[in-house]
Amino acid sequence: MRTSTGGRIGQYAALLAYLVFLALPFLWLVSIAFKSPRELGSLHPTWFPQEPTLDNFRQAFDEQPLLRAAGNSLLAALGAALIAVLIATPLAYVMARHRTRLAKAATGWVVVSQAFPLVLVIIPLFLVLKNLGLINSLPGLVLVYVVWALPFSLWMLVGYVRAVPAELEEAAAVDGAGRLRTLVSVTAPLLAPGIVATALFAFITAWNEFFFALVLLKTPEKQTLPVVLTHFIGAEGVADLGPLAAAAFLATLPSLVVFAIIQRRITGGMLTGAVKS
Amino acid sequence: MRTRLAGVLALVLLLAGCTSGGDGSGTGPVTLRFQSLAWQEESVEANQELVKEWNATHPDVKVEYVQGSWDSVHDQLLTSFEGGEAPDIIHDASDDLADFAYGGYLADLTDLLPARLKSDIPQRSWEATTFGEGVYGVPFLQEPRVLIANATWLKESGVRIPTPRHPWSWAEFRDITDRLSAGDGKYGVAWPLKEPVSATLNLSLSAGGRLFHRGADGKVTIRFEAADETVPRTIHDQANTDHSASPTTLGSGGSDTLPGFFGGKYAMVPLGFSYRQQIAQQAPKGFRWQVLPAPAGADGLAQGVSPQTLSVAEDSPHQKEAVAFIDFLLRPQNMVRLALGDWMLPTGTRALKDPALRTAENGWATGTALAAHLRSAPAQSVRGYPEWKDKVATPAFQEYYSGAIGLRELRERLEDDGNLVLARYQR
């Protein structure tokens, strides 16, 4: 199907508008992070700081243990992503390849579980973790993040597995490859982009998560970045805007970096998952 | 969110028979966890320094500083209490304590408080943390609502500058904002009323407004009487009749009004006393500002406040030590450090006499002169108040201030709908 020149221009304009819409809050955040308090109080705000300053970053680091919190967030997010993928991958394979009633019920349950409000989930989790002695511990938090990310990870991966033609596995079997060899040599490489995309999803979910971390972590040494960011907000929502923006800007960087590094694989993975065999 | 979480937590954890954690007792030095909500740079510094000083002089009782956040303190504390993981010493605000006090989460400090601390803080401040027969927190910092004014604008206009001794009346205030308004987008006042209820109720005390009336049977009813009308009617008329108040800031928070204030759009902004810190930081060079007392009514400069508080967890196995630390933290000279760090007023009478809090610089003296007029916020101990505020009063006041409804409908909604809400809590 050919698209007219006007239509194509319209598409590009819409895409550009969408990109600008997505980028504006982030660019504004960066702008605030480099502005002095006087510029922040100006009636006529500018996109570019007139007198750029690093004071907000200095103050943010002086006031709060941002590096330690970022380290905690990184550990929790990496741990959650890794474990979620390790658990979800074989489960997804079974659910995709063996379309039994049980698999269908499991898929339904995965979908329904996404509708649960956060506060319903935290109660049983809190009690279980307390009995296990895992309150105020990063392993406990990782466990929660895995539980939280698992349904959607599973759902994503089932789609990716279904996109890998079963005929390839059958051909490998005909050629004499065993089940394990087929999985490792044939299925896994084709599934890799999907696994990476799923891991990234789990990572970002855990990296940005606030409520579980707030409730489950008690001591400052364990707190994650989203929790520490709230320390820049005072009573009645008054915020120390400059340092808050500086800290929030730093908090977004790891996600952006990870995303930038593996975005090509993700795109490939998403396309793979989108095509029906 | 808060209400939903509270309900679910209470129900589920009750059913689960959740027990409190270990008492942590044993040999060796006692460790207390102090969860502070200090958030401004100077305030965090002051708190951490005081903890260090305590630890240096009390080898047997070590205090661990834990940073909390105003934004999420209620939910975080609720789960901590239920899970038996609460900090020993808890920083909060008095209007957040009622649920915790009635829920049995906080220790009754009546018999634990040292005489020095009890007598240093006036009874009117203790009332903010007294629920039923017990005292569940030590009120230590508070802030009145003041008028922050563009000093140059006021001087050039020739209006009388009010002082705590000779404040403006509400009628005079309305007249003056009318005189200060110059049209073309310049207003005498900008009311940031994103949260209209507490601002209105607290200021209404000056005119004798009480709104909540406790009967002989102990039950509270809402009556919107003539004295309750003074403040809301002034704001309404400024915004809708005189056009001396900016209509656009009625839905804004305090910080949102500052750029317009600095840019010369508004002559005055009613704000909490601690906003001076932001103003001192953000005001353009050469911008002259001053702190004026809020207008006075039949009851003078009286005003409601919800002081910041320090409480002790009921589950803490070291309540005496925790109170000893609070006593240390709130020694007069330490209270001054905390007050300066937060740009607020201390509740302690001795701390209030400190010269550092009586300087004219940044309006400290004006604020200190108001301290004697501050009272416990009118409704903070009324059960059902949060629901009344969210479901009835906030939309009603917002609609009234925007001109969508009149005073009669405001009264009907506050009273009729409000009393139905309170009745459910008082059966």
Side-chain angles (χ1 to χ4, degrees), chain A residues 38-266:
Chain A
R38 282 190 211 292
E39 273 198 81
L40 288 175
S42 169
L43 184 59
H44 305 290
T46 53
W47 272 103
F48 296 100
Q50 303 300 298
E51 298 165 9
T53 175
L54 291 173
D55 278 0
N56 293 325
F57 291 89
R58 178 201 56 73
Q59 195 180 331
F61 277 104
D62 281 355
E63 280 181 38
Q64 301 298 337
L66 291 179
L67 281 179
R68 187 175 66 199
N72 291 337
S73 283
L74 199 63
L75 277 175
L78 281 175
L82 190 67
I83 298 171
V85 162
L86 282 175
I87 297 174
T89 305
L91 279 176
Y93 183 82
V94 171
M95 285 169 71
R97 288 286 183 254
H98 303 282
R99 300 189 184 193
T100 60
R101 280 186 182 174
L102 188 63
K104 280 182 186 169
T107 308
W109 173 246
V110 164
V111 176
V112 169
S113 70
Q114 293 299 295
F116 290 153
L118 216 60
V119 353
L120 281 185
V121 181
I122 188 119
I123 308 300
L125 278 174
F126 190 92
L127 293 172
V128 169
L129 291 175
K130 184 171 156 51
N131 288 332
L132 294 173
L134 287 175
I135 294 289
N136 196 31
S137 79
L138 281 179
L141 190 67
V142 169
L143 190 62
V144 173
Y145 286 167
V146 169
V147 172
W148 189 241
L150 204 52
F152 196 77
S153 301
L154 200 55
W155 200 23
M156 276 176 83
L157 275 168
V158 167
Y160 288 120
V161 174
R162 283 187 184 149
V164 176
E167 292 81 359
L168 288 176
E169 292 174 5
E170 288 163 10
V174 170
D175 289 345
R179 174 60 65 103
L180 189 63
R181 176 77 187 273
T182 304
L183 284 176
V184 172
S185 304
V186 177
T187 313
L190 291 170
L191 208 51
I195 292 173
V196 172
T198 308
L200 186 65
F201 156 77
F203 177 88
I204 292 177
T205 304
W207 178 266
N208 292 329
E209 201 283 325
F210 167 73
F211 189 61
F212 288 133
L214 171 79
V215 170
L216 298 175
L217 301 176
K218 304 296 171 194
T219 56
E221 295 76 25
K222 303 281 172 55
Q223 286 177 337
T224 56
L225 209 46
V227 176
V228 170
L229 285 184
T230 65
H231 297 164
F232 293 103
I233 300 172
E236 295 181 17
V238 181
D240 207 353
L241 209 54
L244 174 62
F249 168 57
L250 293 172
T252 56
L253 285 182
S255 293
L256 288 179
V257 170
V258 171
F259 193 82
I261 292 171
I262 57 176
Q263 58 94 13
R264 189 176 296 176
R265 305 213 72 172
I266 294 168

Side-chain angles (χ1 to χ4, degrees), chain B residues 5 86 110-111 128 150 157 271 286 311 329 366 403:
Chain B
L5 179 66
T110 310
D111 299 325
N150 180 326
S157 71
L271 290 169
S311 302
L329 206 64
T366 305

